[in-house]
């Protein structure tokens, strides 16, 4: 038999809660809302105008900065005017509750949130633009409801966040004017906000007074800007990318099947005729004289012809943010043809294809195991001008974050994209870069494995012996025997750099003329890339495995943006030499280049200060520059050592953190002692320069200020003495009165008081101060 609970008795519920009625409840809520005092509105038009200017600059800065690293947002075209309309509406309606407007704002914000989540999925690896767009939407909607000063403060915070996002996106100095403009508006906003908190609201610009005079604001602006630049110059550039969310462009969907052996180079020219995709399948055999394209580097192809003449027209091709400088490697060649190079293993079956998962942009790439100590270096590349479908990286890459779902890698470690690298493309590479330890590399075995010898010792039979004889004759001139392959490669690279010249007017080679032989015997030089070809051929002729590598130099480091600006003219060739169980290391024999390419040992921690010093040193005499370089070098070395020790301590777990904290505390205490001593010395020196009466009076004022009795600048000495009399004991008050009277008579009456008596009164005040400290 089932039982069913009886329904509640509504009459009994009403009896127990007679006040619970839907209409009564809503009426009470409405009455409570009506009884609440309305929010105090902000009536200052200048404050509202300056806040709106801040927000406008933040929106425009984000729009401009997005052009450097992604597609233009073009959001400021509508966001700025709509936000201005909202600010005007908000000021006119500031004394009303505007309930319907608040509901509309809430609905609009929900729509903006939905759009944000939709965009977030497509840009999940770099959410900065999506978040910035959401903030701009919220600010535009929020601008229609800004009655209070607190609401204006929210807008200031949003403008500041937008400026910060723009700073992380910007890669050029076009961001600088907007930063200065934001700072120029921020100063009056701070002053007006403070005046509003004090109840000194100025409804119009005519009521501002002298607090916001252009002269005073200009002085504050100049001082603050100068201090900011000094801090910027001294601020160390620490390694970035502490978080593992890397910038990558939006996913690119492939329209056709990816053939990894295809190289698309628009600039490869032969006999005055442009060829696109000249390297398809590795079957090209272009030879003979021709002209170089002025914009696209000829060396990015599966087959290159070095019998081309011409020069490149400089243009920026990419910007690189990296934890260390380096050679942005593109591809390497293993087969020498006499007047050029080929990638011999370039069939579709020989170039490995890699795919990434749909939920991640990361490709896991194979990399050689080496006995060398390595360091992880992260780089982010932003393409500024169209490039071939070859992916520049810092050798040797282990992770690639790329927008396509497939990439290719050839036997020489070159990465290939299914599509050309178009303007605006962004990708990130994580490389495991080996340290270049000369002592360790000298001990590398001179006999490499058979597979390495068969590929990287190849030379045409007709030139192998003549090149070997020339190479051996050059090595015989070394002041000491060269037994290690590393020392041999170093000597030959330096020899070519010092004894051969770049020949910009080099004639074309004859049909059967060998490039390396003509370089060494006929012309005594050649084009810049011919130096690397000749070094590679010379090393192969004496049994040292080598290959030709193409890529970009580091470019020009911009300390203000933190990017390496790379031009097409930075592209050049180098020689990579193989050391058994240690991998490949590059040598650069081109005159005017460093013999060894930039490495991970070189950092740009104080890059801004270095660039500033180079500019100053250009105006100084050479002896003075050398002496200052030694001084600054020792200081920088000491600071670098100290910084390195602190980083090493903090990376050793909890014990390292504790030791680091102890060291920092000790250093802080020593710094405080030094600062206090220097301040005391300046104070004593300042007193020594004053007349005796004024020195005694100033010492009295300093002592009273330490007790909380600071003399306002608007008070006369006698007024200050009268004020102190109310809070000091009789003896101290008498001393203050006596010293103040003596100072006034001396300063304005030219009467010289009794100095010994004044010193006694000063000792009375000093004894009383010490007594208070002991108590």
């Amino acid at each position: 038999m089932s039982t069913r609970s009886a329904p509640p008795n509504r009459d009994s519920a009403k009896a127990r809660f007679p006040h619970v009625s839907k209409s009564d409840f809503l009426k009470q809520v409405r009455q409570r809302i009506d009884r609440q005092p309305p929010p105090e509105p902000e009536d200052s038009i200048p404050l509202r105008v300056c806040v709106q200017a801040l927000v406008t600059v933040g929106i425009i800065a984000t729009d401009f900065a997005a052009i450097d690293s992604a597609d233009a947002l073009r959001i400021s075209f509508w966001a700025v005017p709509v936000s201005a309309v909202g600010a005007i509406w908000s000021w006119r309606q500031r004394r009303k509750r505007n309930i319907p407007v608040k509901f509309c704002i809430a609905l609009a914000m929900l729509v903006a949130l939905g759009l944000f989540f939709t965009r977030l999925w497509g840009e999940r690896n770099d959410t900065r633009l999506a978040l910035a767009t959401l903030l701009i939407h919220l600010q535009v909607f929020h601008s229609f409801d800004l009655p209070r000063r607190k609401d204006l403060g929210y807008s200031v915070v949003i403008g500041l966040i937008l400026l910060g996002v723009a700073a992380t996106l910007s890669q050029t100095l076009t961001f600088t004017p907007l930063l200065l403009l934001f700072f120029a508006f921020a100063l009056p906003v701070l002053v007006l906000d403070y005046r509003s908190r004090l109840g000194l609201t100025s409804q119009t610009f005519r009521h501002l007074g002298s607090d916001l005079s252009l002269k005073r604001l200009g002085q504050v602006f100049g001082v603050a800007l100068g201090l900011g630049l000094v801090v910027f110059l001294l601020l160390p550039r620490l390694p970035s990318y502490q978080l593992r969310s890397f910038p990558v462009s939006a996913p690119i969907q492939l329209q056709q099947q990816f053939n990894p052996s295809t190289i698309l180079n628009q600039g490869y020219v032969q006999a005055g005729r442009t060829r696109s995709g000249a390297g398809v399948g590795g079957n090209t055999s272009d030879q003979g004289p021709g002209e170089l394209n002025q914009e696209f580097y000829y060396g990015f192809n599966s087959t290159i012809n070095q019998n081309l003449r011409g020069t490149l027209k400089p243009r920026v091709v990419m910007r690189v943010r990296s934890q260390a400088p380096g050679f942005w490697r593109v591809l390497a060649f293993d087969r020498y043809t006499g007047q050029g190079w080929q990638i011999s293993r370039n069939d579709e079956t020989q170039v490995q294809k890699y795919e990434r998962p749909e939920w991640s942009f990361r490709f896991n790439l194979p990399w050689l195991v080496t006995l060398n100590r390595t360091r992880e270096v992260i780089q982010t590349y932003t393409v500024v001008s169209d490039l071939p479908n070859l992916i520049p990286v810092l050798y040797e890459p282990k992770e690639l974050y790329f927008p396509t779902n497939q990439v290719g890698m050839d036997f020489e470690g070159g990465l290939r994209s299914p599509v050309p690298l178009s303007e605006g493309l962004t990708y990130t590479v994580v490389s495991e870069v080996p340290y270049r330890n000369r002592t360790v590399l000298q001990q590398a075995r001179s006999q490499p494995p058979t597979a390495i010898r068969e590929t990287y010792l190849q030379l045409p039979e007709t030139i192998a012996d003549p090149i070997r004889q020339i190479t051996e004759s050059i090595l015989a001139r070394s002041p000491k025997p060269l037994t290690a392959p590393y020392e041999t490669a170093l000597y030959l690279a330096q020899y070519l750099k010092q004894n051969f010249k770049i020949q910009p007017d080099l004639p074309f080679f004859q049909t059967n003329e060998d490039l390396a032989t003509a370089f060494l015997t006929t012309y005594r030089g050649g084009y810049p890339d011919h130096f690397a070809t000749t070094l590679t051929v010379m090393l192969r002729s004496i049994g040292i495995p080598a290959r030709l590598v193409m890529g970009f130099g580091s470019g020009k480091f911009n300390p203000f943006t933190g990017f390496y600006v790379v031009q097409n003219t930075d592209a050049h060739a180098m020689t990579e030499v193989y050391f058994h169980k240690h991998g490949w290391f590059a040598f650069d024999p081109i005159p005017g280049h460093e013999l060894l390419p930039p490495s991970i040992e070189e950092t740009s921690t104080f890059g801004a200060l270095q660039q500033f010093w180079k500019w100053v040193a250009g105006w100084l005499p050479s002896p003075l520059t050398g002496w200052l370089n030694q001084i600054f070098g020792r200081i920088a070395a000491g600071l670098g050592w100290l910084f390195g020790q602190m980083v090493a301590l903090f990376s050793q777990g909890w014990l390292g953190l504790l030791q680091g904290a102890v060291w920092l505390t000790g250093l802080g205490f020593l710094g405080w002692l030094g600062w206090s001593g220097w301040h005391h010395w300046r104070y004593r020196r300042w007193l020594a320069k004053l007349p005796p009466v004024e020195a005694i009076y100033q010492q009295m004022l300093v002592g009273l200020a330490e007790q909380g009795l600071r003399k306002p600048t608007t008070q006369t000495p006698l007024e200050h003495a009268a004020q102190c009399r109310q809070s000091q004991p009789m003896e101290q008050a008498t001393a203050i009165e006596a010293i103040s009277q003596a100072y006034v008579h001396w300063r304005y009456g030219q009467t010289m008081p009794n100095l010994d008596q004044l010193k006694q009164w000063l000792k009375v005040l000093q004894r009383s101060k010490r007594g208070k400290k002991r108590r």
Side-chain angles (χ1 to χ4, degrees):
M1 176 175 154
S2 62
T3 60
R4 183 178 299 174
S5 59
N9 191 333
R10 297 182 180 178
D11 295 335
S12 62
K14 288 181 180 180
R16 281 180 294 167
F17 305 102
H19 60 282
V20 177
S21 172
K22 183 179 294 186
S23 58
D24 294 341
F25 175 75
L26 294 177
K27 186 181 298 183
Q28 291 178 10
V29 171
R30 181 61 179 270
Q31 290 175 355
R32 288 184 180 181
I33 294 176
D34 292 337
R35 282 197 300 267
Q36 289 182 355
E40 184 178 352
E42 177 58 56
D43 294 323
S44 175
I45 296 178
L47 178 58
R48 289 179 174 272
V49 170
C50 292
V51 169
Q52 183 60 31
L54 274 186
V55 173
T56 300
V57 173
I59 295 173
I60 296 176
T62 305
D63 222 351
F64 268 89
I67 300 175
D68 291 341
S69 57
D71 295 333
L73 293 176
R74 296 186 178 89
I75 197 171
S76 57
F77 288 108
W78 67 267
V80 171
V82 174
S83 178
V85 171
I88 296 173
W89 163 270
S90 181
W91 178 75
R92 291 183 175 275
Q93 304 293 322
R94 64 190 183 280
R95 301 188 184 279
K96 300 179 181 179
R97 296 190 180 276
N98 299 317
I99 302 299
V101 175
K102 294 180 186 293
F103 274 110
C104 293
I105 291 175
L107 292 176
M109 287 184 174
L110 290 176
V111 174
L113 186 63
L115 294 175
F116 164 71
F117 283 120
T118 302
R119 183 172 182 176
L120 193 64
W121 175 252
E123 302 176 7
R124 54 191 178 277
N125 212 63
D126 186 6
T127 60
R128 291 175 296 176
L129 281 179
L131 288 170
T133 305
L134 176 63
L135 272 179
I136 293 173
H137 287 160
L138 297 182
Q139 171 55 34
V140 171
F141 302 144
H142 177 61
S143 64
F144 285 87
D145 186 31
L146 302 173
R148 299 169 297 178
R149 183 178 63 248
K150 181 165 58 175
D151 298 315
L152 294 174
Y154 296 150
S155 296
V156 172
V157 172
I158 291 177
L160 186 61
I161 294 174
L162 290 176
L163 193 77
V165 173
T168 64
L169 291 171
S170 177
Q171 300 178 3
T172 63
L173 292 179
T174 55
F175 174 71
T176 306
L178 293 170
L179 177 63
L180 296 177
L181 189 61
F182 187 91
F183 184 42
F185 284 118
L187 289 178
V189 165
L190 294 176
V191 175
L192 291 169
D193 181 77
Y194 185 68
R195 287 170 58 92
S196 178
R197 294 174 187 273
L198 295 177
L200 303 176
T201 303
S202 302
Q203 296 187 7
T204 64
F205 285 95
R206 291 178 297 179
H207 300 151
L208 291 178
S210 61
D211 289 342
L212 281 178
S213 65
L214 292 179
K215 182 178 179 180
R216 177 172 294 186
L217 286 178
Q219 292 173 349
V220 175
F221 181 85
V223 171
L225 183 61
L227 291 175
L229 288 176
V230 171
V231 172
F232 180 82
L233 289 174
L234 299 177
L235 194 67
R237 271 38 173 193
L238 304 179
S240 54
Y241 302 112
Q242 302 303 321
L243 301 177
R244 305 295 289 192
S245 180
F246 301 128
V248 182
S249 294
I252 299 175
Q253 302 298 329
L254 301 182
Q255 303 298 325
Q256 56 186 3
Q257 186 175 2
F258 173 41
N259 180 2
S261 66
T262 301
I263 297 178
L264 306 174
N265 188 343
Q266 301 177 9
Y268 200 82
V269 180
Q270 180 185 11
R273 179 172 58 89
T274 303
R275 289 193 56 177
S276 297
V280 177
N283 299 320
T284 57
S285 57
D286 297 327
Q287 294 181 359
E291 295 181 2
L292 289 171
N293 187 282
Q294 293 186 352
E295 295 186 356
F296 296 92
Y297 182 59
Y298 81 101
F300 299 151
N301 209 359
S302 61
T303 297
I304 62 170
N305 176 15
Q306 292 190 299
N307 198 15
L308 306 177
R309 303 293 180 262
T311 58
L312 289 171
K313 183 179 179 181
R315 65 186 178 101
V316 177
V317 294
M318 62 182 182
R319 288 186 288 264
V320 184
R321 183 188 292 276
S322 175
Q323 293 176 314
F327 180 72
W328 319 124
R329 189 180 187 272
V330 176
L331 79 170
F333 300 89
D334 61 338
R335 180 174 295 278
Y336 178 59
T337 62
Q339 293 184 2
W341 290 84
Q342 288 182 348
I343 301 177
S344 62
R345 295 167 291 186
N346 195 50
D347 292 334
E348 186 174 359
T349 58
Q350 294 174 315
V351 180
Q352 187 66 38
K353 187 187 299 185
Y354 294 92
E355 295 189 12
R356 62 170 174 82
E358 290 294 333
W359 60 85
S360 173
F361 287 94
R362 185 177 69 182
F363 292 89
N364 292 313
L365 305 173
W367 54 287
L368 296 176
V369 178
T370 176
L371 296 179
N372 279 34
R373 187 165 62 98
T374 61
R375 171 185 159 190
E376 183 182 271
V377 178
I378 304 172
Q379 323 110 61
T380 293
Y381 300 78
T382 299
V383 179
V384 179
S385 300
D386 292 345
L387 291 172
N389 63 320
L390 302 171
I391 304 175
V393 298
L394 187 61
Y395 192 76
E396 181 174 14
K398 68 175 183 179
E399 294 178 10
L400 172 67
Y401 295 79
F402 203 74
T404 62
N405 58 3
Q406 293 180 336
V407 295
M409 175 182 280
D410 59 32
F411 271 89
E412 315 305 327
L415 292 175
R416 305 180 183 182
S417 165
V419 295
L421 306 188
S422 58
E423 179 182 354
L425 180 72
T426 299
Y427 64 94
T428 299
V429 181
V430 181
S431 301
E432 202 67 37
V433 182
Y435 284 88
R436 193 175 191 124
N437 191 321
R438 183 172 180 175
T439 303
V440 172
L441 294 176
Q442 285 176 339
Q443 301 171 358
R445 195 177 75 179
S446 58
Q447 286 296 325
T450 303
I452 295 293
R453 293 200 308 269
E454 290 177 351
T455 303
Y456 300 106
L457 294 180
Q458 171 272 333
L459 285 176
E461 295 181 1
T462 56
I463 69 164
D465 288 337
I467 294 293
R468 179 177 53 80
Q469 294 173 7
I470 296 174
T471 304
E472 290 176 348
S473 66
I474 293 174
L475 294 175
R477 303 171 194 173
S478 173
K480 60 180 181 179
L482 300 173
T483 57
Y486 186 87
E487 295 300 322
T488 301
L490 205 62
Y491 179 81
L492 289 176
Q494 187 66 39
Y495 183 87
L496 293 179
K497 186 188 293 285
Q498 294 178 349
N499 295 276
F500 295 83
K501 297 181 179 180
I502 294 177
Q503 307 283 356
D505 299 324
L506 184 72
F508 290 108
F509 301 126
Q510 301 298 320
T511 302
N512 296 322
E513 189 175 15
D514 177 70
L515 185 155
T517 305
F519 181 97
L520 293 170
T521 59
T522 305
Y523 303 110
R524 302 289 297 174
Y527 268 35
D529 288 352
H530 296 173
F531 284 78
T533 290
T534 303
L535 176 61
T536 306
V537 172
M538 294 173 72
L539 291 172
R540 288 187 173 192
S541 70
I542 57 175
I544 298 178
R547 64 188 180 189
L548 190 78
V549 62
M550 297 284 191
F552 294 97
S554 295
K556 186 177 181 180
F557 179 70
N558 188 332
F560 296 99
T561 62
F563 282 86
Y564 294 90
V565 181
V566 183
Q567 295 185 330
N568 57 348
T569 51
D570 292 320
H572 65 90
M574 290 196 303
T575 297
E576 281 188 341
V577 181
Y578 179 78
F579 300 95
H580 186 54
K581 294 186 179 181
H582 295 279
W584 296 90
F585 287 86
F587 297 82
D588 192 347
I590 300 176
H593 292 195
E594 295 292 335
L595 183 61
L596 305 179
S599 63
I600 52 178
E601 287 84 359
E602 302 178 26
T603 61
S604 299
T605 304
F606 294 95
L609 191 59
Q610 292 171 359
Q611 295 287 339
F612 179 74
W613 167 243
K614 288 180 181 179
W615 178 78
V616 173
W619 298 88
L620 300 178
S622 298
L624 179 60
T625 301
W627 180 73
L628 291 175
N629 276 330
Q630 292 181 359
I631 298 288
F632 292 151
R634 291 176 182 177
I635 295 175
L639 292 176
W641 175 84
L642 182 62
F643 181 75
Q645 293 296 319
M646 297 306 300
V647 171
L649 278 177
F650 282 115
S651 60
Q652 294 177 3
W654 289 106
L655 182 60
L657 289 174
L658 182 61
Q659 293 177 349
V662 172
W663 273 97
L664 286 178
T665 304
L667 291 175
F669 179 69
L670 291 177
W672 175 80
L673 286 179
W675 171 261
S676 300
W678 179 74
H679 190 270
H680 182 71
W681 173 79
R682 283 193 61 198
Y683 174 66
R684 304 306 303 180
R685 187 178 179 185
W686 173 67
L687 287 178
K689 295 180 180 179
L690 296 177
V693 178
E694 178 144 8
I696 294 174
Y697 181 71
Q698 292 296 336
Q699 291 181 72
M700 182 193 74
L701 291 182
V702 171
L704 292 175
E706 291 177 355
Q707 301 178 41
L709 298 173
R710 184 179 301 275
K711 175 183 175 295
T713 57
T714 57
Q715 276 187 342
T716 65
L718 297 181
E719 289 174 346
H720 183 242
Q723 180 184 1
C724 294
R725 192 183 304 117
Q726 300 175 3
S727 58
Q728 294 291 320
M730 179 61 67
E731 186 179 16
Q732 286 78 24
T734 304
I736 295 171
E737 180 74 22
I739 294 175
S740 299
Q741 288 283 357
Y743 173 74
V744 170
H745 288 301
W746 168 81
R747 182 70 180 270
Y748 303 105
Q750 304 298 323
T751 303
M752 191 65 185
N754 186 344
L755 292 178
D756 294 333
Q757 183 66 37
L758 292 181
K759 290 178 182 179
Q760 292 298 325
W761 286 123
L762 182 62
K763 289 180 179 179
V764 169
L765 293 175
Q766 292 173 344
R767 282 198 305 269
S768 67
K769 184 177 71 172
R770 287 195 293 269
K772 289 181 179 180
K773 287 185 177 180
R774 283 195 295 268
R775 289 197 295 269

